[in-house]
Amino acid sequence: GQNIDQPTEMTATEGAIVQINCTYQTSGFNGLFWYQQHAGEAPTFLSYNVLDGLEEKGRFSSFLSRSKGYSYLLLKELQMKDSASYLCAGLNSGYSTLTFGKGTMLLVSP
Amino acid sequence: NAGVMQNPRHLVRRRGQEARLRCSPMKGHSHVYWYRQLPEEGLKFMVYLQKENIIDESGMPKERFSAEFPKEGPSILRIQQVVRGDSAAYFCASSPLAGNEQFFGPGTRLTVL
């Protein structure tokens, strides 16, 4: 398994850009996922990185550095509906299960 | 194409009773994963199953908890003799292949009185 660390909470303003960081132990690593979870709802998939570099998908981008055990999720043009918990998850090699961080609660204010 | 379905959405049990949580994966998905989420905590992996096989149960408590994914029908997570500490949201996820994106169901919120 892996330890996944991410900040507990962040605040940002509508229309701004925010970067949510995630660090992990590199042993047994096979890829990194980001999920969004609104309160009381199921997590929904945002992105998956297996190679180093930046993956862009609309307003959301995700970056991975395997050598540094580091990833970030970048959210642009923030909207109020982006207020949610953002979960970083490492894909364990072998059985392909996910180890989740505790999530970063993002609050977007007007 | 229906998503991952879980039922019941809410389940209330008294201490000592049994809880049975059901999960129907997305059509075409043969890999099922169960997670538990406690208040203010992250999702914790419990068990990974394929049809009729438990692949990884390293996150499952050794006692009172069991899971199955029969050839026909939904996957079942069973908790015997529930205690207050079992109160949590239990999420099921499915994927078409191992290592692919996992799609989550809406969860079952278990409350133990």
Side-chain angles (χ1 to χ4, degrees):
Chain A
Q2 307 166 29
N3 287 331
I4 308 283
D5 291 315
Q6 52 182 132
T8 303
E9 57 184 38
M10 299 181 70
T11 58
T13 306
E14 198 174 12
I17 300 173
V18 71
Q19 177 175 312
I20 303 174
N21 297 324
C22 172
T23 58
Y24 60 90
Q25 294 178 342
T26 57
S27 61
F29 163 80
N30 216 17
L32 195 126
F33 288 83
W34 284 96
Y35 282 82
Q36 179 192 61
Q37 186 178 26
H38 284 98
E41 297 183 10
T44 54
F45 170 79
L46 290 178
S47 69
Y48 173 50
N49 295 69
V50 64
L51 299 175
D52 285 358
L54 188 67
E55 295 278 344
E56 297 188 74
K57 190 185 293 185
R59 293 190 299 115
F60 293 4
S61 302
S62 57
F63 171 84
L64 179 66
S65 169
R66 295 171 63 108
S67 61
K68 295 181 180 178
Y70 168 67
S71 173
Y72 67 72
L73 180 68
L74 191 71
L75 294 79
K76 304 175 186 175
E77 301 170 13
L78 281 173
Q79 302 175 9
M80 298 295 288
K81 67 178 182 180
D82 296 329
S83 292
S85 184
Y86 291 85
L87 313 178
C88 176
L91 180 66
N92 301 308
S93 58
Y95 294 133
S96 298
T97 56
L98 291 178
T99 298
F100 281 86
K102 290 188 176 182
T104 298
M105 180 63 68
L106 173 66
L107 178 61
V108 180
S109 57
Chain B
N1 186 13
V4 178
M5 300 176 68
Q6 290 187 250
N7 68 82
R9 295 291 304 275
H10 299 273
L11 182 62
V12 179
R13 285 288 178 267
R14 296 189 182 279
R15 280 180 297 169
Q17 290 184 319
E18 178 180 288
R20 291 171 70 89
L21 288 61
R22 297 174 186 77
C23 169
S24 296
M26 286 181 70
K27 188 176 181 180
H29 289 194
S30 59
H31 299 256
V32 167
Y33 312 81
W34 285 93
Y35 295 86
R36 176 164 63 177
Q37 188 172 40
L38 293 166
E40 310 302 324
E41 292 287 327
L43 284 160
K44 299 292 186 186
F45 166 76
M46 298 182 74
V47 62
Y48 164 34
L49 310 102
Q50 293 182 35
K51 284 286 186 181
E52 300 185 277
N53 286 303
I54 296 175
I55 307 301
D56 181 0
E57 56 181 346
S58 59
M60 193 95 97
K62 293 289 185 284
E63 297 179 351
R64 302 188 298 108
F65 286 71
S66 62
E68 63 176 8
F69 189 15
K71 187 176 180 180
E72 301 290 339
S75 175
I76 306 286
L77 178 67
R78 183 182 177 202
I79 312 173
Q80 295 177 292
Q81 299 175 334
V82 295
V83 301
R84 289 215 172 104
D86 296 333
S87 294
Y90 291 83
F91 289 96
C92 167
S94 72
S95 66
L97 296 170
N100 274 36
E101 167 195 349
Q102 294 179 17
F103 295 83
F104 282 80
T108 294
R109 277 142 188 89
L110 172 66
T111 301
V112 179
L113 301 177

